[in-house]
Amino acid sequence: MKKEYCILLCALGMVTSSLAQEKENIPKYKNQVSTNLLLPLFQSFDLNYERTVVNKWAIGLSGAIYGEGFSDFSTDSSGYYDRITNYEITPFVRFYLNGAQKKSHFFEFFGSIAEVDESGGYLRNVNEEGYGVYSIGTKTYTVGGLGAGYGYRFLLLKKKMVLEAQLGIRTNFNVDFFLLNGALVRTGIKVGYRF
């Protein structure tokens, strides 16, 4: 009878130790690099780096260079001025509902620092005599903003490849007139690699 209990305990011990080893062998990737597949269609490019901090939270940094084709979809224009974003640097924080190591819905909050060209407005120039002369032209300035996004991430090929669909909206704070300019950013289909 004691012999049977010993055999049963040994068998249970081997099963539980093999299950524990399987869980330990599952790799946990903490870094991710990705890019938006749709931006090259508009002569633009972005690159994203993300680092998992804890189970459901990640932080990252994104940079985007926008081309002329992207300005057709910009919402940063008004009746008087056209605003075109040249480039943008975006630090972000993500919260994954199912955890960062699984396919999951996520919410994202981000800041934005962008260089903007504003055309169609009056610019003051000083002539040789020292008088102010106004002419219609383009001025370039840096603007900051905040935004939020929502998306879903698929993990493929042993959880190393990433496919994401995301929608993000950013509001720039124009320091000249304290106007809020909304724009769709960090929106599209992204592909990436985890390591």
Side-chain angles (χ1 to χ4, degrees), residues 25-179:
N25 290 335
I26 297 173
K28 294 192 178 197
Y29 303 109
K30 300 247 182 209
N31 301 298
Q32 175 179 314
V33 178
S34 62
T35 188
N36 194 329
L37 293 176
L38 300 179
L39 283 181
L41 298 174
F42 306 108
Q43 303 165 351
S44 304
F45 175 76
D46 81 334
L47 187 63
N48 303 288
Y49 171 75
E50 178 183 322
R51 171 84 176 165
T52 301
V53 181
V54 291
N55 183 29
K56 293 187 176 188
W57 292 93
I59 59 172
L61 184 65
S62 173
I65 299 172
Y66 299 113
E68 291 180 20
F70 189 77
S71 64
D72 296 337
F73 296 96
S74 177
T75 60
D76 284 349
S77 62
S78 65
Y80 302 107
Y81 307 111
D82 288 328
R83 294 180 184 94
I84 298 171
T85 303
N86 296 324
Y87 67 85
E88 185 169 24
I89 299 170
T90 310
F92 61 89
V93 175
R94 275 189 181 177
F95 176 73
Y96 290 97
L97 297 177
N98 294 334
Q101 302 299 324
K102 300 176 183 175
K103 62 182 181 177
S104 177
H105 296 270
F106 62 85
F107 292 100
E108 183 175 281
F109 302 97
F110 54 90
S112 170
I113 299 171
E115 181 186 83
V116 176
D117 286 341
E118 183 178 87
S119 60
Y122 287 100
L123 300 177
R124 184 177 190 275
N125 297 313
V126 178
N127 63 12
E128 296 172 356
E129 289 84 26
Y131 296 107
V133 178
Y134 289 89
S135 62
I136 294 177
T138 301
K139 73 175 182 176
T140 301
Y141 58 91
T142 303
V143 67
L146 295 173
Y150 166 78
Y152 190 83
R153 178 172 80 172
F154 295 94
L155 299 177
L156 310 166
L157 301 176
K158 297 183 180 179
K159 299 185 179 183
K160 286 188 175 186
M161 297 299 292
V162 176
L163 185 63
E164 292 179 352
Q166 182 177 359
L167 174 67
I169 299 173
R170 181 246 305 133
T171 299
N172 276 342
F173 301 105
N174 187 336
V175 293
D176 291 343
F177 302 105
F178 296 104
L179 298 175

Side-chain angles (χ1 to χ4, degrees), residues 2-23:
K2 290 182 182 181
K3 194 178 204 184
E4 292 169 352
Y5 284 125
C6 288
I7 293 172
L8 182 62
L9 286 176
C10 289
L12 285 174
M14 289 191 306
V15 168
T16 56
S17 68
S18 68
L19 290 175
Q21 288 177 356
E22 280 184 28
K23 287 185 179 180

